[in-house]
Amino acid sequence: MTPESAAWSPPTPRQLPALREHLADHLMTWPAHLYVEEALRQGRGTLRPITGPKVGASLLLEDEHRRLSGAQLFYVTADITRLVRQAAPSLRDKWDIQPYDLPAPTGFMLFAEPMAEYIREDGKRIDIVAVSWGGTELITSDTGGLWVTFWSVTDFAAITRLGRAAGARAAEAELLARQQNAELTWDNELYMPWGSTSVTVAPGPTGLAIDPTNIAAAETTIDWLQTVHAGWIFCTPNTLTETSEEHLPRTQRVRAERAGYRASPVRVVSVSRKTTPVAARSGEPSGRRVSVRFPVAPFIRRQAYGPGRRLRRLTPVAGHWRGPADAPVQITKKVNLVDAPPKPRSI
C-alpha cells in the first residue's frame, strides 16, 4: 500500500507568481526562521553554515529569498512531468553542467505532479513538487556554482495535529497552521560547482565542510538533481514539448516589481501540439487508428552548437508525438534516452 501523502492541488500557471511571492515573503517570518533554526539544531539538511543555528538560519533564509525574488518562473504540466521522470533514470548523468545548460540563470520550477518523493520517519510520503536554483553567497568556489533547493508540499494536517496536541482548539490550530506556513516547505538542498563530474554525499548530523569542487548532495537529492536536469533539457526547443508564456495582469506585475520580485511571464512547458506527418506515416501501419497521443522514441544527445559548433548541449531530438493533437496523452514506461555525441557529417 502506498503511504498517504499531503494533499497537492497545484496552482494554475497564472497563480504561480502569487505562490512564489507568498513563499518568498514567508521566508522572512519568525515561524520560518524557527523552523530552519530547529532543523539546523537537529543536524538536518545538506548545506549547513558553520555557525550557530540562529545565525545559520538567517543566512540560509536571506540567501534563498534573494534567489526566489529574482527567479524566472517555470510551470511543468502533469504530462511533461511524467515524461521527465521516466527519462531521468536513463540519463546516466556525467553532470559537467555549465551555466548555458540552464533555461535561466535563476529559476523556480513548479511541477503539476510530484517530481520526486520519499517516506518520512513517521511513514508519511513526502512529495517534492518544486525546485529553485541560482547563485549563492554562502559558498566560495573557484569556478562558481549553483545552489539548488527542493520544495515539498506542506503537511498542514500534521501541523494542525501538533497545534491540537499543544492545547489549541481544532479551528484555531488549523488557522494558525495556514497563517504560519506557506504552501510549500523547504525540504533539502544541494550545491553543484560548474563543470563538476563527481559527487560528495552529504555529511551526517555532526556536519562537515564541503568540498567546493564536488557536487554536495544527499543520496536522495542527487537522484532528484537528475530529474531536474532532465526538466531543464525538456525546456529547450524540441519536438515533444512547447513553451508558452503566461503574462501577469498589469496591476499584478507592477505590484510585484515594486515589492522587488521579477515579474516576467511564466514559462509553461507542455505537450507540443505540432504534428509531424512524415514521422507519423512512416511508423503507423496503413489503416490503423489511434485514439490517444503518446511520445515515440524520444532521445537526448549532446548536440553541437555555438561558434564553430565546438560546444555541446544535451538536447531532446528525434522524438515525436503520435495520435490526434487533441487526444488525451498517454505516457508509457519505455523512454529511450541516449547520451551520445552526434555522428560526424560526411564531407
Side-chain angles (χ1 to χ4, degrees), residues 2 56 73 75 78 88 103 123 126 171 174 200 226 281:
T2 302
L73 302 181
Y75 187 101
I126 304 300
E174 185 173 354
T200 298
Q226 196 173 49
R281 285 199 300 269

Side-chain angles (χ1 to χ4, degrees), residues 27-141:
L27 295 183
M28 296 293 96
T29 65
W30 65 265
H33 190 283
L34 289 179
Y35 172 81
V36 175
E37 183 179 344
E38 182 60 24
L40 293 175
R41 186 172 287 110
Q42 295 179 11
R44 291 161 45 203
T46 300
L47 305 175
R48 303 194 294 274
I50 305 177
T51 183
K54 186 173 183 178
V55 175
S58 295
L59 292 174
L60 288 172
L61 290 168
E62 290 170 4
D63 204 46
E64 184 61 40
H65 182 271
R66 178 180 54 80
R67 282 188 293 274
L68 281 179
S69 299
Q72 169 64 54
L73 302 181
F74 295 86
Y75 187 101
V76 182
T77 61
D79 296 329
I80 299 304
T81 301
R82 296 183 205 119
L83 191 60
V84 166
R85 290 199 64 170
Q86 291 171 9
S90 302
L91 191 55
R92 298 184 179 87
D93 224 322
K94 300 179 178 64
W95 308 117
D96 191 23
I97 298 174
Q98 299 292 345
Y100 50 73
D101 293 317
L102 275 60
T106 305
F108 178 74
M109 181 178 288
L110 183 133
F111 297 83
E113 286 190 354
M115 58 151 284
E117 59 276 316
Y118 67 93
I119 306 303
R120 200 167 58 190
E121 293 86 348
D122 61 359
K124 192 76 173 281
R125 193 185 84 220
I126 304 300
D127 291 333
I128 305 298
V129 296
V131 61
S132 56
W133 67 87
T136 178
E137 298 177 355
L138 302 181
I139 299 176
T140 302
S141 170

Side-chain angles (χ1 to χ4, degrees), residues 232-246:
W232 290 339
I233 294 169
F234 275 90
C235 285
T236 63
N238 65 87
T239 57
L240 288 173
T241 66
E242 62 184 19
T243 301
S244 58
E245 292 188 341
E246 181 72 38

Side-chain angles (χ1 to χ4, degrees), residues 204-225:
T206 57
L208 180 70
I210 69 169
D211 180 353
T213 64
N214 291 346
I215 298 174
E219 292 182 0
T220 52
T221 57
I222 194 63
D223 291 334
W224 299 351
L225 177 60

